[in-house]
Amino acid sequence: MTAHPSIPDLIARRKPGHNLQADFYTRPDIFEADMAAIFWRHWIYVGVEPDVPEAGDVFVVDIGRASVLIVRDDDEEIRAFHNVCRHRGSRLVNEQKAVVGNIVCRYHAWTYGLDGALLFADHMGEDFDKSCRGLKPVHLRSVAGLLFVCLADDPPTDIDAMAAAMTPYLAPHDLPNTKIAKSVEVIEHGNWKMTMENNRECYHCGGNHPELNVPLFAYGFGFSPKTLDEAEAAQARRYENLVTDAHARWEAAGAPSREINHLSDRVTAFRTERLPIDQAGESQTLDTRVACKKLLGRIKDPAMGGLSFWTQPNSWHHFMSDHIVTFSVIPVAAEATLLRTRWLVHKDAVEGVDYDLDNLTRVWEATNRQDAELVEVAQTGLRSPAYEPGPYSPYTEGMVNDITGWYLDRLAANLDPVDA
Amino acid sequence: MSETPPSAPTTFKVQLTLSGREIECRADQFVLFAAKDAGLRLPCSCTRGMCGTCKSKLISGTVDMTPDGGIRQREIDQGWILVCCSKPTSDLVIER
C-alpha cells in the first residue's frame, strides 16, 4: 500500500495557477484538516438575523461535528453557543429551528438562560457550582445582518475591517428588516472547494445557466480580449461604460458600488462590487424586473443592479433593490457539501400580493440545480487516475485562483503539528 | 384530624386527556401538584416555571400562571401552559 503524500508535501507541490491535486477533494483526512484548520478557525457565514426574528428564536447550524446554536435574547442581542449540554454532552436543540423560553436539555432538564448561564440543574448536590457550567460561547458577528461565527478561541481580528468596509455597501438594503421568503438546502455531491470554485467563475455560465444569463452580463466576469470579434468588443466597451455610469449614479444615491477586493490578501477575505443587471436592470429574475413590489430599506430606484459580496471560505450574496439572495456553504464530508440558499424580501411584503415566490426564486433555483450537476460531474471526473491539475484561465478564473491560494495559505498556517 | 375549614377553597375539575383521568385542583394549588396528590406523575423537572419540561396544551379553561422564563408569550398565545406554575381559575381540559 502506498502512503498518501502528506498535506505539507501536497501544498509544496501545488503548481501555481493550476487546479488543486485530487487528494484535496477526496481524502477524508484532508476533509478533517479542512474542518479543523479552515472551518473551525475562520469566520464562517451561517445565516441572517431574520433566521431568529424574535426573542427566544433558535437556529442551529452544524459545522462538521461542531453544532452551534444561535439565539435571540430578550434584550434583542443575537448570541451563539455550542449546542452541547455541560452535563453529559447531549445536544441541546435538536431541530434546525426552535422557539425556547430557556435553553433546556431534554435529557436531565439542565436549564440555561439565553445568555448561556446555567439556571437550574436538579440533584447535583450542595457543592455543585452552576456558575462554571454555563454554555460555551461561540464568537458571533453580524455584518449588517449577515451572521458570521468563529469557533476559534481567538478569531481573526480582521473581521472588523471587513465589517467596516462592507457595512456602507450592505446597509441601504436593511437586511435586519427583511424576512426569509424561502430557504432551501441542497447537498452537492462534491468537496466544498469544488462548490466554492464553481461559484468563483462565470466561465461556465454561457453554456450552463440559461436563466442566470438573462440578468447577468457576460462581460462582468472576465474574458479574453484578443479573441473577441468587433461586435463583441463593442459590447464589452458598452458594458465598461455602463459600469462606470451606473457606479456614479448609485454612489450619488448613497449606495457604494465600486469594487473592493481583498480575496487573497486578508485572513477574513472578501470582495464586493455592485454590478449592472441586463435589460430592465432591476433584479436577478427572468424578466430582469423586481420580483417584490416593496423595495428594501431606503432604496427608491428599482434599478440598483446587484451588489455581489463574496467571502472566503464559504459564502456569496447578491443584494438587489427588492430582494437579497444569500448562500452558505458547509462541508458535510470529503465528497458532500451542503449549500443553503435564502431569499429575503421586505419584512412587510406579502406573498401573492407583493411578490410571487416562484418568480422570486426561479433564476437561482435553476442555477443551483445546474451548479449541483456541474460540481458532481467535476468531482466524479477528478477521481479518475487520468486527472492532473489543469491551468486556470488568466481572464476568467482569477477568483478561483484566489480561493485556492487563500485555502492553501490558511491550511498551511493552521495545520496541527500532527498533520504538518 | 382533618376537618373541613369553615370556608373551603374553590376546587375545579381538571381533565387530563392523555392520562385519561379527571382530578380535582384547588384554586390555590398548582395543577402539577394536584396531579401528584392524585397519584399522577406528569413530566416535570424544575417545578418552578423555568425548564418547560411540563409544558402542556390547554384545550379549554383558564389558569393563573406564574412562569419564570420557561415559556414564551407566543407559546402562551397558542394555548401552552406550564402546569407546575398554573393555578386553575375554571375547570380545565389539558392534553397530558
Side-chain angles (χ1 to χ4, degrees), chain A residues 39-40 90 166 184 197 206 211 239 267 295 312 319 367 410:
Chain A
F39 279 82
W40 293 351
S90 187
M166 284 310 302
V184 296
E197 290 158 21
E211 294 83 2
Y239 176 75
V267 175
L295 298 188
Q312 316 289 43
F319 285 64
T367 306
R410 300 314 306 158

Side-chain angles (χ1 to χ4, degrees), chain A residues 55 57 74 100-102 104 111, chain B residues 45-46 48 50-51 69 72 74:
Chain A
D57 284 337
D74 289 286
V100 300
N102 290 313
V104 183
T111 299
Chain B
S45 183
C46 75
R48 51 195 155 110
M50 289 167 72
C51 74
R72 287 271 144 203
R74 45 193 154 137

Side-chain angles (χ1 to χ4, degrees), chain A residues 318-397:
Chain A
H318 302 293
F319 285 64
M320 286 149 287
S321 65
D322 66 320
H323 78 275
I324 299 162
V325 55
T326 168
F327 304 81
S328 171
V329 171
I330 305 285
V332 174
E335 300 187 82
T337 301
L338 169 67
L339 172 67
R340 196 173 275 144
T341 306
R342 294 168 176 85
W343 288 262
L344 310 174
V345 295
H346 193 289
K347 69 174 192 301
D348 299 330
V350 178
E351 187 186 343
V353 177
D354 296 305
Y355 65 96
D356 174 81
L357 195 59
D358 265 359
N359 183 43
L360 178 75
T361 58
R362 191 168 294 137
V363 166
W364 276 105
E365 286 266 33
T367 306
N368 277 349
R369 210 161 36 239
Q370 293 144 4
D371 280 332
E373 287 169 14
L374 295 173
V375 164
E376 184 167 352
V377 291
Q379 180 81 24
T380 312
L382 172 146
R383 285 193 211 117
S384 161
Y387 166 75
E388 59 178 298
Y392 295 139
S393 153
Y395 300 109
T396 65
E397 291 177 319

Side-chain angles (χ1 to χ4, degrees), chain A residues 54-57 72 74 99-102 104 108-109 111 114 119-120 122, chain B residues 44-53 55 68-72 74-75:
Chain A
E54 286 183 57
D57 284 337
R72 189 183 288 257
D74 289 286
V99 176
V100 300
N102 290 313
V104 183
H108 306 97
T111 299
L114 302 191
L119 302 175
F120 168 77
D122 211 0
Chain B
C44 69
S45 183
C46 75
T47 70
R48 51 195 155 110
M50 289 167 72
C51 74
T53 307
K55 198 176 292 169
D68 185 13
I71 191 166
R72 287 271 144 203
R74 45 193 154 137
E75 297 175 289

Side-chain angles (χ1 to χ4, degrees), chain B residues 3 8 10 13-14 20 39 49-50 54 61 63-64 67 69 72 86 89:
Chain B
E3 240 179 314
T10 319
K13 289 195 175 79
V14 179
M50 289 167 72
C54 67
V63 296
D64 177 14
R72 287 271 144 203
S86 290
T89 54

Side-chain angles (χ1 to χ4, degrees), chain A residues 156-192:
Chain A
T157 55
D158 60 356
I159 182 89
D160 291 332
M162 184 176 85
M166 284 310 302
T167 300
Y169 281 74
L170 303 174
H173 302 266
D174 197 16
L175 193 155
N177 283 307
T178 63
K179 64 172 180 181
I180 299 173
K182 189 171 186 183
S183 176
V184 296
E185 292 183 0
V186 178
I187 297 289
E188 296 193 345
H189 300 286
N191 184 268
W192 68 273

Side-chain angles (χ1 to χ4, degrees), chain A residues 16 78 91 112 166 264 306 324 334 406:
Chain A
I78 298 174
R91 179 165 287 205
Y112 305 87
M166 284 310 302
S264 55
I324 299 162
W406 180 92

